[in-house]
Amino acid sequence: MIKAGSAIVALLVVLLGLNSMFVVSEGHSALLLQFGRIVHTDYQPGLHFKLPVIQQVMHFDKRILSLDAPPERYFTSEKKSVNVDFYVKWRVADNAAYYRATGGDQLQAAQRLTPIVKDALRFEFNARTLPDLISGGRKDITERVRAQTDASARKNLGIAVVDVRIKRIDLPNEVSESVYKRMRAERLQLANELRFTGQEAAEKIQADADRQGQVLRADAQRDAAKVKGEGDAEAAAIYARAYSQDPEFFAFYRSLAAYRTSFEDGRGVLVLKPDDELLRYFEQPAPKR
């Protein structure tokens, strides 16, 4: 009996010894409770000790956690609705405040954090127009929402909001159709303006080209007439000099040219007097004595 009692006592001592130790793993922290009262708030990774039985340990994940909420519908400043899909990155910042607010339950923490983020998003979307959202105001929105939700979550939940991201902004079908029609009308107006500007520029270029063409043709015709006149004058001068050097030969050459022109096709008929000047080279020359 004494040996059995000693074994039981030894076993109890071992169990109490084991119960007085606890390990905080990497990426986690711990909070120590005694009868529901917080005794120590932030144990770092490693081996730690506590009073057995009367003290309990709560472990918290200190890594960044994700909150992926379902899409929510918000209204813009023009009272047009948009469907917003977003997610939040958060972590435990204050073990004591986190435990008091959520009991250390991540699901409850996410449920309490979600409306804080949604309220901040609703405020930002209500202050902006639909064109502002379409043209790209997400970064400004998420930065402001993260700052607002981080301040509120730290104070009320002991949570630090690391990041808020908008995955997508979808327009309801009726809004999408309205936006499409407006954008189509704007693009058509821009296309018409560009087309009108292009036609105006084309007409201006065409008119300028026609004017330049007329000027070039007039200059070319003037220069051609000048060159032709100079050529005719030079030809007349050459003819005159040639005629003055040998009038008889020149008359003969002119007659041959006239014969060639008159009888070139072989079907020409000339009706002339026998003593016509044109026929004088067809006469039998007088014999020399």
Side-chain angles (χ1 to χ4, degrees), residues 1-13:
M1 292 293 293
I2 294 176
K3 291 182 178 180
S6 298
I8 292 174
V9 171
L11 179 62
L12 290 175
V13 171

Side-chain angles (χ1 to χ4, degrees), residues 154-200:
R154 284 179 183 271
K155 179 180 178 181
N156 299 312
L157 303 177
I159 290 174
V161 177
V162 178
D163 195 11
V164 178
R165 294 288 175 177
I166 297 175
K167 293 191 287 186
R168 58 187 299 174
I169 300 175
D170 293 329
L171 302 175
N173 292 334
E174 63 275 8
V175 178
S176 298
E177 184 67 21
S178 174
V179 172
Y180 170 76
K181 289 181 178 178
R182 189 184 75 246
M183 293 178 66
R184 184 173 183 272
E186 291 176 353
R187 293 301 179 271
L188 287 175
Q189 181 180 359
L190 178 60
N192 291 332
E193 291 177 356
L194 292 175
R195 189 178 296 111
F196 174 77
T197 303
Q199 290 175 350
E200 184 179 9

